[in-house]
Amino acid sequence: MTDRSYEDGKLVVRRHYKADREDVWDAITTPERLVRWFLPISGDLRVGGRYQLEGNAGGEVVRCDRPREIGLTWEMGGGITEVVVRLEEDGDSTVLTLSHSPVPGELIPNASPAVWGLGAGWEMGLGALEQFLAGDLPEGAAKDWVATASPEDLAAAGARAQQISDAWTEVLR
């Protein structure tokens, strides 16, 4: 289940994962695991270091409290925002809360079927994290299996991204 909120320029996504906090932490911070469900990452991945996600944002690691919280600047298209990911134990599961701010509301829904907004972008990635943690993703880097996905799988992903966008449109009302 995904909880969504938006207030004062802050997009917040909250999801539960059937995995312990250390496993989720490693999946979101270890380059060899991150590439399996998100994007290749390079750089100096410590506080004060700079990172770059292949074909996407880069920035600085501004804080890290293993396995509870990581804070990053998110630098893309000349803008600088902040992304914070917090992990909380919930029995044998983990609650991940991602906040991204400041974000103008108009960037959250999809601009078109081919141009996902931040809402769908983050949630599609977090959905892939869930599949990765469950062992349900194909082998190899996410960018490779997405590039070779069938037209039916791509259409299903596009439909899911639109459902997420529609849910964010409701949040923004």
Side-chain angles (χ1 to χ4, degrees):
M1 184 170 134
T2 301
D3 295 321
R4 303 169 182 94
S5 66
Y6 179 78
E7 189 172 327
D8 298 326
K10 183 183 281 189
L11 170 150
V12 178
V13 178
R14 185 173 179 188
R15 287 185 67 121
H16 286 77
Y17 293 93
K18 293 180 182 177
D20 68 48
R21 183 166 61 175
E22 282 289 339
D23 192 26
V24 177
W25 178 265
D26 286 341
I28 68 171
T29 61
T30 305
E32 297 79 20
R33 294 187 78 198
L34 189 63
V35 70
R36 290 284 320 284
W37 65 272
F38 196 52
L39 292 168
I41 189 168
S42 60
D44 182 2
L45 305 179
R46 352 173 238 182
V47 173
R50 295 198 57 80
Y51 72 92
Q52 181 62 54
L53 291 164
E54 185 177 301
N56 204 298
E60 180 181 345
V61 179
V62 294
R63 66 183 166 282
C64 181
D65 178 18
R66 180 187 179 97
R68 293 173 187 84
E69 179 180 278
I70 188 163
L72 315 162
T73 63
W74 191 262
E75 302 173 21
M76 188 172 188
I80 300 175
T81 54
E82 179 181 49
V83 172
V84 176
V85 178
R86 291 184 179 93
L87 302 178
E88 299 171 65
E89 294 175 327
D90 184 18
D92 60 353
S93 297
T94 301
V95 177
L96 181 150
T97 303
L98 179 144
S99 64
H100 189 163
S101 66
V103 174
E106 60 268 14
L107 296 181
I108 296 174
N110 296 354
S112 72
V115 180
W116 293 354
L118 285 174
W122 279 121
E123 286 194 49
M124 293 295 281
L126 294 176
L129 172 60
E130 182 173 23
Q131 291 178 292
F132 172 72
L133 291 167
D136 293 337
L137 289 183
E139 289 300 316
K143 69 176 190 149
D144 295 335
W145 51 260
V146 168
T148 59
S150 71
E152 296 80 17
D153 288 342
L154 292 175
R160 178 69 184 129
Q162 189 56 54
Q163 290 172 337
I164 293 167
S165 179
D166 292 346
W168 275 105
T169 298
E170 289 301 314
V171 168
L172 294 167
R173 289 184 186 197

